[in-house]
Amino acid sequence: SDSSDVLARNPVRENPRRVAPLDPFTVRAIDGARPDAFSPDDARENMCEPKSVDAKVWGSPRALDYIVSPSDPVWPQNCENRTDLCDVLRRVAVNREVLAAVANSQAPGLDEFLRMLKALNIPNFMVIALDVPLSVKLTSLGVPYYLKIDDVQGNHKVSAKKFALIEEFVAVGCSVLLTDTDVAYQQNPFPYLYRDSDIESMSDGFDNDSANGFLQTIDDASMGPARKRAGSFRAAALNSGMWYVGATRASARLMKIMAHRMATEDLWDQSGYNLELWFASRDDHMTSGATVRVLHPFCFLNSKVMFRIVRHEPRLRRERHRPVAMHANYHTDKSNKIKLVHEYYTKNAPLASLECVIGCEKGVKSMVALEAEHLHSINDGVVGSKTWKVATIGAKTCAPMTAWKGAITGLERELHMVDDTKLACAKAILDATAKRICDTLGGMMLDVKDDVVVIVASANESDLVRMLLERGINAHGLTNRTLVVTNDEDVASLAAAAGVAAVRPSSTTPTLSSVALKWYTIHTILLNGRGVVYVDPAVVLLDDPSKYFYGDSDLESASDGWDDVTAYGYDHVVDDPSMDWSRFLHGGRVASVDAGFFRLAPTYESVALAERVATRTTALGADVSTIQEQDAFNAAVFYPSYGETVAVGVTRRTLNYLCFANSKTVFVFMRKDKTPRHSPVMIHFSYHPGELERMRDAYAYYGAGEDSSTFTEGFMKWSGGPGLAKAGDDTSGACAAETHASAMSSSDVENHAFAKSLIAGGDWSWAGATPMKFLDQGALDTPWGKGKWSLVKDSHGSGVLPTAVWADFGGAHHLLKFETPEGEGAAANSMFVSERCADGNLVVGRRVPKKRE
């Protein structure tokens, strides 16, 4: 296709989002089920053609902030000190885009790669050459290049250089489809880009969930009824071997950040690239805010998809489908795989020529299936983790921090604020409930830049609302900025008595669940140009939160996580033994964000988020659970664009989890931490729903200043899980009474049924690590060396607890309490929760099933 045809089908978008939002707000129910990108059932003649997007279902993509406007006739720009690059781009670029590889003369497979690209006659292909010998070769072949001499050697080290190099291209206004040299191209890739996101990338994923992300429950048995409160977002790695970088300000920020990290950290480039794109800003770690589109998995393939799905599927044979390119990233014989695939599609080699053994069998297992036998590692390794390093620095004051400690410049963001000349409340015709909200907003004493604090409550939350208004809202000077929205007359009366504005929905508006009403309200306020701070009735508000927001993101939210790993995210690895050399799949994993406490700036992306959650939760009917709302909210926040789906595109910040805490963080970890007492800004009692007295004790404890001794007993009487601490739950007291595992005789074991079962029971896991063995006479084997175990005395010292033991190893003293896991057929006392006496760190362990002979 010529360049004009490409742009006609894939128009450049640069104007701020004008989504034609539901205005006046129309109540709509949209299921919004995601399509399966891996379905071969595509009747179109060319399944790689970009799909049209139904804006009524998915809305519009986030507006792209181009460094050089596509309508500006002067291009390239910012060429000072980049004259050589600009000269090359003027000759080579088409539609201000290039396909570029970064290589030196030692790059493996370079000759075949160059022959392949020349045969396709892609006019805007070029090489960023890192040494003179390569530039000489490229000149002889007639391949355009940009010479940037660097003596770096090795594939990964060369790859690490590409971020700083691509930053130069982006800075002058040139978008880059960046490619490794182990990619087999079958078509010109440019007609198949959407150009609606800052980054378009192929994925290492091999099914819809792994490639495009999914939500997975984290099961913490110690939390009782709230054990499945936390979810997690997971996705396979985006592959940095083939990705399109739009010449936008967000892409420039990404390149700056990655160039800095590669220069100052021991970091794999692909891992860092994914951490920056999947996860939110936090503390002084500001991310780029770049939006992501995942490329079609059958068009921009990884070699696992090619050899385990495409070659086995009749509907994907070359007679019906031709991919754009394949990255040979999953197989060691890269050159051979590239040759076989290229000959199959371009020289009519028979299908049998693609036969192979390792990593080639038909079909793939999902990430969940691959991890099914490793639950003790995937789940248990994080439910009790306490990695408090990054957040403790920010929690010293909870105040906004300087991004990257000032080490990276040019990271400023400009949010797409709602046009203040087109505010919703100025409309002549409004839905009756929206009009009530607008009329109430008009009567509130708000400064120009004030956010509205919103509380949405139902009849059964009246006691929570009363306490929140008295102890939180009124106490911290938020009365005039707070709006309570409720279907209940008594709750509205409580608000009025507290001097807080209240709205009850009109009977002419279709009846909404409390959750849908919440998002209806947020949507209306945002469209009127006001930011929203949403506070769930189950929040203990200990300070005015507004002075702790950064104001650099559309969404700033609390997390369901409890440490750096869970709240801020990490590089998670899935093991697929069938792939041999490439068995370890990297990807992102992070705990869900909290729909019970967040700030939304008055931007078009925030409006889109509110609309997405409102329409999805309306479709769930009159009774929407907390988990259903959490899933709808997190799907809207995390999921990328792909195919006909469009991401909401909010820029995100995760608030410091020690400042904006959940009740698990406070009652399981923070109470027992040995560092000086820290007072959060707020605590959401998401893990202890309905525990009103516990909330009162938190207000009393944290409101007492430095002299909290009077209130410590009330605060400490609660268990980490639901309800009051039971006999034997006082771990700190037990740790003080018995500071190490004592010697244990054979008679001690013989007289204790549970101790005998431990010795006879085989192997155990410890936070996923195996094996751990309880041996006779108190000997203990662990993955970290030898240790000791013994029985735990009861509080009177006259007997021992029936299902608890001490375990000492690695210089630490642990109290292990055994229990029966949830679920039919679970073996009695086949799981334990360990608490480390020194700092309260929790670990889950399980009895490891015996391997079948």
Side-chain angles (χ1 to χ4, degrees), residues 99-108 110 113-114 125-131 134 138 145-146 148 150 152 154-167 169 176-182 240-241 243:
L99 171 64
V102 179
N104 58 27
S105 56
Q106 304 303 310
L110 181 62
F113 174 76
L114 293 173
F125 168 63
M126 62 177 292
V127 174
I128 303 172
L130 300 181
D131 58 29
L134 178 55
L138 294 171
Y145 64 88
Y146 171 49
K148 194 76 171 181
D150 194 313
V152 65
N155 289 347
H156 286 298
K157 290 184 178 180
V158 169
S159 188
K161 294 287 183 179
K162 59 192 175 190
F163 301 104
L165 293 168
I166 299 307
E167 182 188 347
F169 285 68
V176 181
L177 179 55
L178 189 63
T179 179
D180 282 356
T181 57
D182 58 346
S240 61
W243 51 303

Side-chain angles (χ1 to χ4, degrees), residues 77 276 300 343 353 428 496 542 556 561 563 577 739 748 754 820 829:
Q77 297 183 17
E276 291 301 321
F300 296 85
E343 290 183 349
S353 67
L542 298 165
E556 300 185 55
D563 72 342
T739 58
D748 292 332
F754 181 66
T820 302
N829 296 315

Side-chain angles (χ1 to χ4, degrees), residues 25 182 201 205 285 333 553 699 705 771:
F25 197 105
D182 58 346
S201 177
H285 187 132
D333 57 335
S553 304
Y699 268 122

Side-chain angles (χ1 to χ4, degrees), residues 91-251:
R91 289 186 287 106
V92 177
V94 176
N95 296 325
R96 304 181 179 184
E97 299 172 324
V98 294
L99 171 64
V102 179
N104 58 27
S105 56
Q106 304 303 310
L110 181 62
D111 290 344
E112 180 60 32
F113 174 76
L114 293 173
R115 281 194 292 271
M116 196 182 308
L117 267 297
K118 280 186 65 65
L120 284 173
N121 196 29
I122 299 173
N124 52 340
F125 168 63
M126 62 177 292
V127 174
I128 303 172
L130 300 181
D131 58 29
V132 172
L134 178 55
S135 71
V136 172
K137 173 185 285 192
L138 294 171
T139 299
S140 68
L141 293 172
V143 176
Y145 64 88
Y146 171 49
L147 180 60
K148 194 76 171 181
I149 295 176
D150 194 313
D151 61 2
V152 65
Q153 298 293 319
N155 289 347
H156 286 298
K157 290 184 178 180
V158 169
S159 188
K161 294 287 183 179
K162 59 192 175 190
F163 301 104
L165 293 168
I166 299 307
E167 182 188 347
E168 293 188 52
F169 285 68
V170 171
V172 301
C174 184
S175 300
V176 181
L177 179 55
L178 189 63
T179 179
D180 282 356
T181 57
D182 58 346
V183 176
Y185 282 89
Q186 316 308 321
Q187 298 189 61
N188 183 337
F190 288 102
Y192 305 110
L193 300 174
Y194 282 72
R195 299 175 177 83
D196 64 352
S197 303
D198 299 295
I199 303 295
E200 296 185 54
S201 177
M202 67 163 287
S203 169
D204 281 348
F206 37 81
D207 62 10
N208 200 54
D209 282 349
S210 58
N212 299 310
F214 67 105
L215 302 178
Q216 184 181 41
T217 299
I218 298 175
D219 183 9
D220 183 353
S222 69
M223 288 292 105
R227 62 183 295 167
K228 296 182 179 181
R229 157 70 196 194
S232 61
F233 168 74
R234 298 186 58 187
L238 300 166
N239 192 286
S240 61
M242 183 165 46
W243 51 303
Y244 177 81
V245 184
T248 65
R249 299 192 185 282
S251 295

Side-chain angles (χ1 to χ4, degrees), residues 376 762-775 780-786 809 832 846-849 851:
H376 53 275
D763 293 352
W764 293 75
S765 69
W766 178 281
T770 58
M772 182 174 183
K773 296 183 179 181
F774 297 89
L775 305 174
L780 180 67
D781 278 352
T782 80
W784 304 277
K786 301 291 184 180
F809 62 91
F832 65 76
R846 297 178 191 261
R847 181 179 291 144
V848 179
K851 293 183 179 180

Side-chain angles (χ1 to χ4, degrees), residues 18-29:
R18 296 293 183 265
V19 295
L22 301 177
D23 179 24
F25 197 105
T26 304
V27 177
R28 283 196 297 158

Side-chain angles (χ1 to χ4, degrees), residues 559-745:
S559 171
D560 285 331
W562 45 89
D563 72 342
D564 293 354
V565 171
T566 53
Y568 295 162
Y570 69 102
D571 180 14
H572 181 81
V573 179
V574 178
D575 183 10
D576 182 357
S578 69
M579 292 306 298
D580 192 55
W581 167 80
S582 61
R583 64 188 291 171
F584 299 115
L585 170 71
H586 290 258
R589 188 185 190 203
V590 65
S592 49
V593 292
D594 185 2
F597 188 92
F598 54 83
R599 178 188 184 260
L600 281 170
T603 65
Y604 285 102
E605 286 70 34
S606 294
V607 170
L609 175 66
E611 191 168 303
R612 180 76 61 90
V613 182
T615 55
R616 271 46 171 186
T617 54
T618 297
L620 295 173
D623 187 15
V624 182
S625 70
T626 299
I627 297 301
Q628 286 176 312
E629 181 192 12
Q630 280 287 105
D631 284 350
F633 179 55
N634 279 270
V637 168
F638 283 111
Y639 286 167
S641 298
Y642 72 93
E644 64 266 49
T645 74
V646 170
V648 166
V650 286
T651 51
R652 300 174 284 127
R653 173 172 286 279
T654 298
L655 296 166
N656 186 291
Y657 60 85
L658 297 176
C659 299
F660 295 84
N662 58 60
S663 55
K664 174 177 176 176
T665 303
V666 171
F667 283 90
V668 175
F669 300 110
M670 200 179 291
R671 285 189 306 174
K672 300 173 182 178
D673 193 68
K674 300 294 192 255
T675 56
R677 190 166 71 88
H678 159 75
S679 180
V681 177
M682 74 90 194
I683 308 166
H684 184 196
F685 279 68
S686 50
Y687 288 92
H688 301 87
E691 295 197 30
L692 193 66
E693 187 180 349
R694 186 193 290 254
M695 295 173 68
R696 288 196 185 100
D697 285 337
Y699 268 122
Y701 178 75
Y702 285 113
E706 293 302 318
D707 183 19
S708 61
S709 56
T710 306
F711 304 100
T712 298
E713 183 177 351
F715 188 61
M716 298 300 293
K717 71 186 179 187
W718 301 98
S719 71
L724 295 168
K726 302 177 181 65
D729 280 356
D730 181 14
T731 304
S732 57
C735 287
E738 294 185 80
T739 58
H740 60 276
S742 57
M744 195 163 57
S745 66

